[in-house]
Amino acid sequence: MGQTLSHKIIKNHLLSGTPAPGESIGLRMDQTLTQDATGTMACLQWEAIGLETVQTELSVNYVDHNTIQMGFRNPDDHRYLKSVAERYGMIFSPAGTGICHQLHLENFARPGKTLIGSDSHTPTAGGVGSLAIGAGGLSVALAMAGEPYTLPMPRIIGIHLDNALTGWASAKDVILALLGQLSVKGGVGAIMEYTGPGVASLTVPERATITNMGAELGATTSLFPSDEQTRRFLRAMHREADFEPLQADEDAVYDELITLDLARIEPMAACPHMPDKVVPVAELDGLAVNQVAIGSCTNSSYSDLKAAALLLQGRQRHEDTDLLIAPGSKQVLKMLTREGLLDAFLDSGGRLLECACGPCIGMGGSPSSGGVSVRTFNRNFEGRSGTQDGQIYLTSPLVAAQAALDGRFTDPATWGPAPTKPELPADVPDIKNLFLYPPQDRSKVEVQRGPNIVPLPPFEPLPETLAVPVVLKVGDNITTDHILPGGPQVTALRSNIPAISEYIYSRVDPEFVTRAKDAGQGIIVGGENYGQGSSREHAALAPRYLGIRAVVAKSFARIHRANLVNFGIVPLTFTNPADYDALEQGTRLTIPAATLRAGGTISLSSAEGVSIDVSNDLTEEELAVIRAGGKLNAVRHTIED
Ligand code: MIC
Ligand code: SF4
């Protein structure tokens, strides 16, 4: 029986388990990626593990999320990250160099390698055939220590692409179409592997747009084969030596196969406030647009920005529509400048931002109250832009640029002939001094800590019985942005758990923190897909600091579930989802923790006579981690033993 490409890469990296769907497998990780917002915590955890040198082939520590240096906090974080990189043998990418995923794709990602990153959009590297997985910072710190990354073996969903894109349709519309079809839960527990004759028509940056936003499908990762397009891309990046052809066997068998005809894809938009609320752009005809933002790790490549620039060239943006541009990397910015395309943006009335995440995570560039903002990004959760009632639409760069010109959405059928797709030039400028490499002798490097770098709080093991109240009950599709908001003020506290915990659920229920503190210990009740979105482990770590010991939900998002386990919070699911209605805020429950069995069921009971069955899908190892009070405790045990 033929093998999928995912199976081939997994088999090459398998350290434990059998790759049958749902079975726990342990994978060797070749590369790691961290970014400042999650990286400070990952580095604190790395330090707590106590090794002298990272054990991976390559580890890169990027600064791209919180680049606003207002006050001492972020500069202190950046200095800490730089010194940790120097001390322990990581590559450091300073603020302003670019967005981690774009930079990783251009400079380090390699076909057939495994990559684990403390950011949910790490699968961007799947655009060159790398098996790239997003995870919490602690999982990445452990990978740097040479530990395998364990996960349930995903199902492999084949996405069979036919034909090629036509007209105004672009790669973004492919992934938006899939999101519309499959929803934000459509990829849970799966790897989306792209195959079929349509694959060859997509360039690497286009593929990376698709794999990037596979994160919004909830997928473990997304993967393209490595072929002539890959070779061309790596050659342009002066990395042809990194090329290796890789693809699935002709007769590969997928757990599920979805066919998509690229020729039928049309320009799409995801409407507020979910990436899967997708409609054809034609349906939005006439809606006034107050702001357009082009950039983010989804659509900030040279070809993306060039396509937008060529459309804007010689024309002026609508006077009521602000236009923001954030190139994905210095390389992209340099290429645009060299070709005079920066002028096209500036002359059209656009505003140039730093090569960083920026408005995508609410770091500046927020829309005005109730404002409609059209963004080439990947997430449009409520409030994420920094404006609580901002109306965020996600589109391709072409659709966004057109909206900037018209000041409103218009029907693509009226746009005239579509422009040709920009290709990467053969001679991409080789930029000097993009990254800082560790010195030969690292022993004298001192790790630098300012007052914002606060050591991790210790957590005690799971007791035999928990008698705790429900301190919060929330509905379906709670995102990590609901649990812990983004924005400059909060993100500056990512290296300070006591301080950041004050913001947990602050936008959903401002009383939550006080209630949790008063209770001392508690549980949270959630609906479907609890914790979807980002990989920020603070959304588990800070609730744990506030005394949360269990979350009972209808279902969990993969990364958040793993983060809960890492910090000793028990993820439980309703055996009968209708029992969700039986639990209210304030209900005091007794949880017989000592009787928890991996994969088993227990009953939660209250004094008022409520009794409900909850199940878990924990492995033996995960249960041991929870009993120890979290992964760091568990790892320390192994080291001491
Ligand atoms: C995001 O897009 O939400 C982020 C900010 O990149 C996060 C990471 C974080 O919260 O630090 C992600 O997607 O993992
Ligand atoms: Fe940065 Fe936004 Fe990409 Fe997250 S999704 S890595 S915040 S650009």
Side-chain angles (χ1 to χ4, degrees):
M1 195 171 81
Q3 284 191 319
T4 66
L5 178 54
S6 311
H7 274 108
K8 293 185 188 182
I9 304 180
I10 287 172
K11 285 204 178 133
N12 273 340
H13 292 85
L14 195 66
L15 294 178
S16 64
T18 342
E23 295 286 316
S24 175
I25 53 167
L27 296 182
R28 176 170 48 82
M29 287 293 149
D30 301 320
Q31 302 188 340
T32 70
L33 161 172
T34 41
Q35 42 88 343
D36 52 316
T38 53
T40 45
M41 206 31 77
C43 287
L44 282 166
Q45 289 163 156
W46 159 260
E47 288 191 283
I49 297 170
L51 294 180
E52 277 303 314
T53 304
V54 289
Q55 305 292 306
T56 41
E57 288 175 15
L58 176 105
S59 286
V60 194
N61 206 344
Y62 295 92
V63 174
D64 56 357
H65 277 62
N66 207 357
T67 54
I68 304 177
Q69 296 186 310
M70 264 180 350
F72 69 92
R73 290 204 167 87
N74 297 332
D76 277 11
D77 281 5
H78 301 171
R79 183 181 60 180
Y80 169 70
L81 291 170
K82 174 173 179 287
S83 64
V84 169
E86 270 172 18
R87 177 77 177 83
Y88 297 106
M90 308 164 196
I91 297 169
F92 182 66
S93 172
T97 309
I99 305 175
C100 57
H101 308 301
Q102 180 65 28
L103 286 169
H104 207 83
L105 188 75
E106 290 173 351
N107 299 283
F108 303 112
R110 288 178 60 176
K113 294 286 177 188
T114 48
L115 163 71
I116 184 168
S118 62
D119 191 282
S120 56
H121 292 104
T122 303
T124 313
V128 293
S130 165
L131 192 84
I133 302 180
L138 180 50
S139 304
V140 179
L142 288 163
M144 293 195 278
E147 291 280 318
Y149 178 61
T150 46
L151 75 166
M153 174 66 196
R155 290 175 303 126
I156 315 296
I157 303 185
I159 311 277
H160 182 95
L161 302 178
D162 281 324
N163 298 315
L165 292 167
T166 60
W168 292 88
S170 36
K172 181 65 159 283
D173 302 308
V174 175
I175 188 67
L176 287 175
L178 277 171
L179 272 156
Q181 195 179 323
L182 304 176
S183 93
V184 290
K185 290 188 302 189
V188 171
I191 295 179
M192 317 302 275
E193 182 174 316
Y194 290 83
T195 79
V199 164
S201 70
L202 297 169
T203 63
V204 163
E206 290 179 304
R207 296 174 182 185
T209 294
I210 296 173
T211 57
N212 170 281
M213 239 184 136
E216 276 52 60
L217 287 167
T220 304
T221 188
S222 301
L223 185 64
F224 271 87
S226 170
D227 57 9
E228 280 312 303
Q229 290 276 15
T230 323
R231 185 203 291 274
R232 198 174 312 158
F233 176 79
L234 291 174
R235 187 189 301 137
M237 295 296 146
H238 310 280
R239 295 205 287 132
E240 193 171 358
D242 288 351
F243 175 70
E244 186 191 338
L246 283 176
Q247 56 181 16
D249 292 335
E250 289 269 310
D251 56 345
V253 179
Y254 293 90
D255 295 307
E256 193 184 328
L257 198 65
I258 297 173
T259 303
L260 205 63
D261 182 355
L262 292 177
R264 296 176 68 116
I265 301 282
E266 54 178 330
M268 305 286 223
C271 302
H273 300 286
M274 272 294 168
D276 61 358
K277 278 185 73 180
V278 174
V279 299
V281 168
E283 282 181 25
L284 299 169
D285 188 11
L287 178 69
V289 171
N290 310 101
Q291 183 194 58
V292 164
I294 301 178
S296 93
C297 58
T298 317
N299 277 128
S300 62
S301 68
Y302 162 81
S303 347
D304 283 330
L305 267 63
K306 183 167 180 175
L310 290 176
L311 199 62
L312 293 164
Q313 201 161 36
R315 298 159 85 185
Q316 208 189 339
R317 68 167 167 105
H318 191 278
E319 61 181 26
D320 293 331
T321 310
D322 292 334
L323 173 60
L324 315 179
I325 297 116
S329 70
K330 278 189 179 173
Q331 219 149 16
V332 170
L333 181 56
K334 200 159 162 176
M335 284 193 273
L336 292 173
T337 316
R338 192 175 67 167
E339 293 180 31
L341 291 169
L342 198 55
D343 290 351
F345 279 125
L346 300 179
D347 293 346
S348 73
R351 168 179 167 190
L352 184 67
L353 304 180
E354 199 176 13
C355 302
C357 298
C360 179
I361 189 198
M363 297 292 172
S366 303
S368 51
S369 293
V372 170
S373 178
V374 177
R375 303 179 159 208
T376 65
F377 306 172
N378 48 33
R379 291 193 168 140
N380 59 349
F381 303 140
E382 198 170 3
R384 179 177 164 98
S385 64
T387 301
Q388 195 54 32
D389 60 357
Q391 305 294 310
I392 313 299
Y393 291 80
L394 307 174
T395 70
S396 71
L398 281 178
V399 172
Q402 187 65 42
L405 291 171
D406 297 336
R408 58 196 174 91
F409 277 110
T410 48
D411 186 343
T414 65
W415 297 351
T420 47
K421 177 162 98 173
E423 293 272 348
L424 260 181
D427 61 329
V428 169
D430 199 5
I431 303 205
K432 303 284 171 266
N433 303 323
L434 270 183
F435 305 106
L436 300 176
Y437 288 83
Q440 278 298 336
D441 179 9
R442 293 185 277 104
S443 61
K444 307 221 167 44
V445 179
E446 236 175 82
V447 174
Q448 310 219 15
R449 290 166 226 277
N452 202 37
I453 309 291
V454 177
L456 286 168
F459 292 133
E460 74 285 357
L462 187 70
E464 301 250 302
T465 314
L466 282 166
V468 289
V470 174
V471 283
L472 184 72
K473 182 176 178 181
V474 289
D476 291 345
N477 290 323
I478 285 293
T479 69
T480 50
D481 282 274
H482 287 113
I483 306 174
L484 179 72
Q489 194 188 3
V490 186
T491 308
L493 301 172
R494 291 283 183 94
S495 49
N496 186 340
I497 293 303
I500 209 169
S501 66
E502 296 293 326
Y503 293 89
I504 291 298
Y505 273 117
S506 56
R507 295 223 182 110
V508 175
D509 178 353
E511 307 298 316
F512 170 76
V513 172
T514 318
R515 199 161 55 240
K517 281 184 181 166
D518 287 350
Q521 289 194 334
I523 71 169
I524 291 175
V525 172
E528 297 283 3
N529 202 17
Y530 183 83
Q532 67 160 326
S534 90
S535 67
R536 62 190 72 153
E537 61 191 343
H538 305 74
L541 180 45
R544 174 67 209 270
Y545 179 77
L546 294 172
I548 301 303
R549 304 306 300 259
V551 177
V552 188
K554 291 185 187 166
S555 63
F556 290 91
R558 176 187 65 91
I559 303 180
H560 188 63
R561 176 196 167 282
N563 285 337
L564 291 173
V565 173
N566 278 350
F567 297 104
I569 299 180
V570 199
L572 298 166
T573 49
F574 291 102
T575 312
N576 172 9
D579 284 340
Y580 170 86
D581 298 327
L583 290 184
E584 289 309 328
Q585 189 181 303
T587 313
R588 269 198 95 78
L589 292 169
T590 302
I591 307 181
T595 64
L596 268 174
R597 294 287 165 265
T601 300
I602 53 170
S603 293
L604 311 185
S605 52
S606 79
E608 294 78 37
V610 176
S611 171
I612 57 163
D613 285 350
V614 290
S615 324
N616 73 73
D617 60 354
L618 299 166
T619 62
E620 297 289 351
E621 193 201 342
E622 287 175 327
L623 188 56
V625 165
I626 291 177
R627 288 206 194 287
K631 189 103 186 187
L632 266 186
N633 289 357
V635 173
R636 282 206 197 101
H637 267 293
T638 0
I639 293 174
E640 280 159 20
D641 292 353

